[in-house]
Amino acid sequence: MAASGAPPADPAVAVSPPAKDSEDVTLDAILKHLGQFGRFQLIIFVLICLPMMFHAMFSVTYVFTAATVTHRCSVAECDLPGSNYYEPHTDWSIPKNGKDLDSCNRYTNSELPQWNHSVDICTADHFTRNKEACAHNEFVFRDDEVTISNDFGIFCDDEWKLSMVGTINNLGQFFGIPIGGFVADRYGRSFSIALGGILGAVLGVIRSFSPSYGWFLVFEFLDNMTSSTLYSTCFVIGIELVGPKRRVLACSVITVFYAVGEVLLAMSAKAFHDWRILLRITYGPSLILLAYFWILPESVRWLLSQGKEERAKNILRRAAHVNQRELPESMLDKLVLANRDKLQQSSESRFPIREAFKNFKWRIANCSFCWIVHVLVYYGLSLNVVLLDGDKYNNFAYIALVEIPGFFMPLLIMDRFGRRYSLCGLMLASGLCCIGTIFTGADQPVLQLVLFLVGKLTITASFQVLYFFASEIYPTNLRNSLLSFCSMMGRFGSMLAPQTPLLAKYYANAPAMLFAGAAIVSGLLTLFFPETTNVVLPTTVQEADAIGVKKQSKSKDLDLVVTATQAQ
């Protein structure tokens, strides 16, 4: 590279002749010259962090909007119109379900068939130990919380409808992620962020006016289908924006705002207990993303991959001006000429999806499986939030906050140990923590909680590495599409995770064994990926296919030379 002190470009993807100027014409070299993370990049990152934060809130609002409200049966012979959840009579009129009162059953009263209103039958002597279902869905609620459960009358035997909301949420993301990836690769990163953000915002606000459960599901699906690509597109534009030495730091900062969004959602839900108000508070501010059609610059790498050279040059000139760096026109001309040669020499189209699946079938399969495992373990561990005592809003915030150190762990290990070994090591660590929870048991709650948090921390860090890896092993003109495809496959993991508690009914440690086994197997399979540390981001399918190949070939040639020398 032209910049002093910069690491040399990997020969696997370096631009070919002219040899003397080969490194000077790469975009990474220009980014180093402009400042790998200067003022211009900082402004863009601030803009990117907003949709990242909004996406976090969009994707998990159902945790609060479709939550089960704590309730008990209304005991007609004991309760008055102003009765509270806990009353003296609940000790003998309502069964216990763990620490709480039973939500859907009460004890029968032996005097009810011949109830004499002149006799007080709200005494322990009049109640049997026989259970019966609540009459006519009449309940007494513990809190003033309003979710779709008590708004649409979804209780007890119908509570599967509340779980269905999470399934519909993930189905929307399943269909929306590949569509959003296609839009980002075909029409631009900034266009995709603005379009997905504003459609999600509008549909979310409309959802807050849903008159019935059916309409709520429809808009839950559409909302997540349109906004599901925000995370991956923000991540990709961040990867493509900065120089190679600042990619890890910059994108760690971006993903921290996902956790910030989750915390803000929890605090908003704690302040506003009505699901309709919560949705308006959450989605209303995101309407500002409409302005992103005009204020968010496009990815220079994407513009070059599409042959939009003048727009790319204008953005680089603006970056040089904002960063207060000189950018010679000759440097831009060399970049454009090298890019033209690269595109002309490439036999592929500008959107060679078939060729990519042909060349990268094993890479895509391994990445997809890895994504499924990450999502399964990540959300599976999150479902164990009940291990933490206390307020559910605070617990949700704690689970989000523990992710923040995980976002920065790659800063310490990725460049030192490489992408593959970092990914493998973190997945193995998370798997071992899951195994550890099996042996600690409930009689050691503190140690079990520590293992739980460390497992969540390491799988979060591993997920961060996976996003980097998936962004670096695919070419620019397909990066968003293939990353989104792998992310789409990961939705199978998020659909499976809510079902894992059912395994515990047959064997208490089955979920932990599933998480551990999947993490360890997938962690070992990651060693079959090519290493991408300090590799220039590939532009074409041929360059992406060559990652690691030329490096290995060069090493073999060197071994042959050494052998021949020794033979002489």
Side-chain angles (χ1 to χ4, degrees), residues 37-229:
F37 194 72
R39 189 180 301 172
F40 179 80
Q41 288 96 328
L42 181 60
I43 293 172
I44 304 305
F45 265 70
V46 170
L47 293 175
I48 293 173
C49 288
L50 277 178
M52 179 70 80
M53 185 174 63
F54 288 137
H55 174 64
M57 293 188 281
F58 294 175
S59 61
V60 290
T61 51
Y62 72 90
V63 172
F64 300 108
T65 60
T68 302
V69 290
T70 304
H71 60 275
R72 65 167 175 84
C73 294
S74 175
V75 183
E77 57 270 36
C78 298
D79 282 320
L80 299 173
S83 292
N84 296 318
Y85 179 75
Y86 291 109
E87 293 285 350
H89 69 78
T90 56
D91 291 337
W92 60 78
S93 62
I94 303 292
K96 290 281 184 144
N97 185 7
K99 296 180 181 179
D100 297 321
L101 302 178
D102 194 306
S103 299
C104 302
N105 296 287
R106 52 160 288 176
Y107 288 128
T108 59
N109 191 313
S110 58
E111 298 293 332
L112 281 180
Q114 59 275 359
W115 186 359
N116 185 344
H117 289 271
S118 64
V119 178
D120 182 11
I121 60 173
C122 187
T123 62
D125 295 339
H126 289 88
F127 285 84
T128 70
R129 296 295 92 183
N130 298 323
K131 297 180 182 179
E132 65 178 1
C134 301
H136 308 297
N137 279 345
E138 295 179 359
F139 302 101
V140 175
F141 301 97
R142 186 185 66 184
D143 309 307
D144 62 349
E145 183 180 15
V146 179
T147 71
I148 65 169
S149 175
N150 49 353
D151 198 351
F152 298 142
I154 303 172
F155 302 105
C156 300
D157 292 340
D158 290 332
E159 284 187 358
W160 61 269
K161 294 181 179 180
L162 302 179
S163 300
M164 180 62 68
V165 175
T167 302
I168 295 298
N169 177 292
N170 284 290
L171 278 176
Q173 295 187 52
F174 180 83
F175 289 105
I177 286 172
I179 295 173
F182 171 81
V183 171
D185 281 336
R186 199 65 181 267
Y187 302 104
R189 315 311 196 206
S190 61
F191 178 83
S192 176
I193 291 174
L195 181 65
I198 194 63
L199 287 178
V202 171
L203 290 168
V205 172
I206 294 176
R207 180 153 54 96
S208 71
F209 294 96
S210 298
S212 65
Y213 172 75
W215 281 110
F216 181 90
L217 284 188
V218 168
F219 288 110
E220 180 80 35
F221 176 86
L222 293 176
D223 162 21
N224 284 277
M225 186 181 73
T226 55
S227 63
S228 58
T229 191

Side-chain angles (χ1 to χ4, degrees), residues 1 28 52 103 137 184 246 341 353 359 395 424 464 492 553:
M1 297 293 180
D28 280 344
M52 179 70 80
S103 299
N137 279 345
R246 293 292 181 269
D341 290 341
I353 193 69
N359 287 28
N395 289 346
C424 176
Q464 182 81 336
F492 287 109
S553 177

Side-chain angles (χ1 to χ4, degrees), residues 539-560:
T539 299
T540 64
V541 169
Q542 286 85 353
E543 287 184 350
D545 199 25
I547 294 177
V549 175
K550 291 186 179 180
K551 209 173 197 179
Q552 296 170 6
S553 177
K554 199 169 185 179
S555 178
K556 291 179 181 179
D557 292 342
L558 182 59
D559 290 340
L560 290 174

